[in-house]
Amino acid sequence: MQKARIGVTGLAVMGRNLARNLARHGHPVAVHNRTYAKTKALVEEFGGEGTFLPAQTPEQFVESLERPRRLVVMVKAGGPTDAVIDEFAPLLEPGDMIVDGGNANFADTRRRESALRDRGVHFVGTGISGGEEGALHGPSIMPGGSAESYEALGPLLEDISAKVDGTPCCVHVGPDGAGHFVKMVHNGIEYADMQLIAESYDLLRHAAGLAPAEIAEVFRTWNTGRLESYLIEITAEVLAHTDASTGRPFVDVVLDQAEQKGTGRWTVQTALDLGVPVGGIAEAVFARSVSGHAALREAARHLPGPSRTAVADPGFPDAVEKALYASKIVAYAQGFHEIQAGSAEYGWNIDLGAMATIWRGGCIIRARFLDRIRAAYEADPHTPTLLTDDHFAEAVGDAQDAWREVVATAARLGVPVPGFSTALAYYDSLRADRLPAALTQGQRDFFGAHTYRRTDRDGSFHTLWGGDRTEVSA
C-alpha cells in the first residue's frame, strides 16, 4: 500500500491549496476532512495534479502516512484546533508530528507543544503567509517546534515555499511557539503597512485633490522604486477599478469599515506584556476599530473642523512618498523590536535577518524593502533598532522635512493620519536628549511614593512631598 509523505486535514481553501501545492511538487499527500464530500471533491477536481490519498476516517488518514508521520492541521484557530489535536494525538506514535498551519495564538502553541512533547509527539506551530494564492503557488512559511522535527519536515516545507533568488522563503524560526509568534508580528506589521498606504491615499485624495484613477497611477510609479511591494501593487489595482453596477470608482462604493481577525490585536497586546512600544501597529489596529464604530462616527460627524483646500504644490505626492517610506521604516523597526524582545523573553534565539529573508516572497508584506532589512541584520545581528542602521538612518534623515510637512498639512486640513503622526512621534522620541518622562516620574513619586532615580548618582529616591520636601533614599 502506497504511503503519503505528508497529510493535510482541513480542506477549506487554505488546506486544499496547500495539499495541491505539495502534490504538484511530487509529494504523495494524504487528505482528510471532517466531511468526506470535501475530500472527494478535491481528488475529483485536482487529482491530475499529483498523488492524493483520500481518507474517510482519522484512523485511515493516520495509517496512510509514512513514519515519522507529518500531519498538517488547517482548521480554524482556537477550539477547533484543540478538537482536531484531541482526535488525532491518540493515534500517533513517538516521533510523529502535528503541524498547525493556522493563525494560532503563540501562547496556545506553547501549551500544545508542551503537552504533546510529554507524549513524544512533536507539535510544530507554523505561520503560513500569502493567502490562498500563496498556499497554492508558494507561501512564506515560518515553522517553530523542535530542531528534530524540522529535520524531517523542513525539506518538504522549503520545497513548496516561495523562492527569491533561489532561496526558500522558509526557515526554522525557533522552539515551541516561535513560528506563530513571528507570524503574529508579521501580521501586525501588515496592519501598519496597510494603514500607512491608506493614509497616503487619503492625503492624495483629500489634500491634493486627486481622483482614485490618478492616485492609482501615483502608486504604480511608486511601485517602480524603493516602495516596490505586493501591497503597493494591489493598491494601484484597487484604486484603478471601476464598479460595474454604478460606474463609480470601486473604492467609493465599499463601506469604509475595516474588519480584522485578531492577529494585529494580539501583536499589540503581546507588545504591552513585553513592554515594547509598537505605536505604529497599535494605531493601525485602532484605526480599524474607529472605522467600525459607525454609530460613534455618525454622532460626531457634525463636529467642527477646518475647511479642506487642495494643496497647490505639485511636489506634494513626492512628499507623501517620503513620509510613507519613513513611516514604513518605523513600523518595521517596531515589529522587529518586538520579535527581538519575544525571542529574549522565551529563549528562542530568532535570527532577525532570516525573518526578513523569508518575508521577501510569498507573504503579504513581500517587498524590495526587506532586502535592506536583511542586509542590516547581517551587518549587525544585534542592532537595537533598524533606525540606527546607516542606510535607514540616512533615508529617514533625507525624508524627515517632507514627513513633517505632510503631517502638518494633514493636521491643518483635518485629514486623520494616525499612522504617519505616531511614527514621527516615535522617531522624535528615540532621538530626543530628554523626554518629559522625568516629570511623569516626579508626579508618580508625589501621589504614590513610587520613587525615582537621579541622573547624577545611583540608587532610588523619594521626596517627602507632604512634609519638608527633603529627599530620602528608597
Side-chain angles (χ1 to χ4, degrees):
M1 178 181 175
Q2 183 177 14
K3 297 281 188 177
R5 292 201 68 196
I6 192 167
V8 178
T9 181
L11 300 178
V13 176
M14 283 291 290
R16 180 186 65 190
N17 282 2
L18 197 68
R20 291 174 60 196
N21 189 353
L22 285 158
R24 286 178 172 188
H25 280 80
H27 306 295
V29 187
V31 287
H32 169 267
N33 196 72
R34 185 172 54 86
T35 56
Y36 184 65
K38 278 193 175 181
T39 307
K40 184 179 178 182
L42 167 63
V43 177
E44 289 178 350
E45 188 173 357
F46 303 109
E49 295 182 341
T51 301
F52 296 99
L53 279 64
Q56 295 193 48
T57 67
E59 291 80 6
Q60 184 182 357
F61 179 63
V62 170
E63 178 60 29
S64 68
L65 296 171
E66 68 179 33
R67 298 288 313 276
R69 299 183 180 94
R70 307 167 183 88
L71 191 160
V72 181
V73 178
M74 298 296 292
V75 301
K76 188 176 179 181
T81 299
D82 281 322
V84 171
I85 293 171
D86 290 343
E87 183 175 30
F88 282 96
L91 305 176
L92 301 178
E93 300 175 84
D96 292 345
M97 62 200 75
I98 295 177
V99 183
D100 178 11
N103 269 333
N105 188 301
F106 80 96
D108 287 339
T109 301
R110 299 190 77 216
R111 168 179 58 80
R112 293 162 181 157
E113 193 275 339
S114 177
L116 288 172
R117 188 192 327 136
D118 291 341
R119 304 170 66 164
V121 174
H122 299 283
F123 186 76
V124 184
T126 302
I128 300 176
S129 179
E132 58 188 78
E133 286 300 306
L136 180 60
H137 300 295
S140 175
I141 308 179
M142 296 151 259
S146 67
E148 180 185 349
S149 66
Y150 193 78
E151 287 182 10
L153 179 68
L156 283 156
L157 298 183
E158 291 176 14
D159 191 29
I160 67 167
S161 71
K163 310 293 188 301
V164 176
D165 299 329
T167 300
C169 292
C170 174
V171 73
H172 182 225
V173 177
D176 56 76
H180 275 145
F181 183 93
V182 165
K183 176 56 164 57
M184 174 191 73
V185 177
H186 163 284
N187 285 21
I189 293 172
E190 178 186 307
Y191 274 53
D193 213 341
M194 293 174 69
Q195 175 64 23
L196 294 170
I197 289 171
E199 291 178 16
S200 299
Y201 153 75
D202 210 22
L203 284 164
L204 295 174
R205 184 83 185 267
H206 296 114
L210 301 181
E214 294 173 308
I215 301 172
E217 291 306 313
V218 172
F219 274 89
R220 286 189 175 119
T221 299
W222 289 354
N223 201 45
T224 63
R226 61 186 179 176
L227 285 172
E228 179 189 347
S229 68
Y230 173 70
L231 284 172
I232 294 290
E233 176 188 345
I234 67 170
T235 298
E237 295 301 314
V238 171
L239 290 172
H241 184 55
T242 299
D243 176 56
S245 62
T246 65
R248 298 171 60 195
F250 171 76
V251 73
D252 287 348
V253 301
V254 176
L255 188 66
D256 61 339
Q257 296 178 20
E259 300 177 359
Q260 52 185 308
K261 291 187 175 180
T263 46
R265 184 169 63 249
W266 294 346
T267 305
V268 177
Q269 291 169 335
T270 302
L272 289 170
D273 292 338
L274 293 170
V276 177
V278 293
I281 297 171
E283 286 295 348
V285 174
F286 289 136
R288 293 195 188 190
S289 181
V290 167
S291 78
H293 280 272
L296 178 64
R297 292 172 59 201
E298 182 61 32
R301 198 174 302 280
H302 301 297
L303 293 175
S307 59
R308 289 184 175 180
T309 304
V311 177
D313 183 4
F316 187 69
D318 289 337
V320 174
E321 187 273 346
K322 290 179 180 178
L324 174 57
Y325 190 67
S327 299
K328 182 183 176 85
I329 293 171
V330 168
Y332 279 69
Q334 291 177 350
F336 274 87
H337 183 194
E338 182 167 357
I339 294 174
Q340 193 174 43
S343 179
E345 175 71 16
Y346 298 108
W348 288 330
N349 195 29
I350 296 174
D351 183 339
L352 299 180
M355 297 308 98
T357 298
I358 66 172
W359 289 350
R360 294 181 304 161
C363 69
I364 303 302
I365 64 172
R366 59 185 183 266
R368 175 191 298 189
F369 174 80
L370 284 155
D371 257 329
R372 289 302 324 174
I373 296 179
R374 176 189 54 78
Y377 284 114
E378 283 184 356
D380 181 6
H382 304 293
T383 187
T385 172
L386 287 171
L387 289 165
T388 60
D389 172 73
D390 289 344
H391 172 81
F392 290 123
E394 181 180 356
V396 175
D398 290 343
Q400 69 159 321
D401 288 343
W403 191 10
R404 296 179 193 282
E405 183 58 36
V406 166
V407 171
T409 298
R412 187 173 67 252
L413 298 180
V415 178
V417 288
F420 280 179
S421 56
T422 196
L424 180 58
Y426 177 84
Y427 173 73
D428 282 337
S429 293
L430 292 190
R431 52 173 291 278
D433 289 333
R434 291 273 292 171
L435 291 172
L439 175 59
T440 302
Q441 200 61 13
Q443 293 169 326
R444 294 181 73 247
D445 188 60
F446 191 105
F447 67 67
H450 292 296
T451 75
Y452 53 86
R453 289 172 292 146
R454 297 177 58 96
T455 61
D456 55 357
R457 59 181 182 271
D458 294 335
S460 296
F461 302 90
H462 168 58
T463 292
L464 303 175
W465 297 103
D468 61 3
R469 302 203 172 187
T470 58
E471 182 179 80
V472 297
S473 295

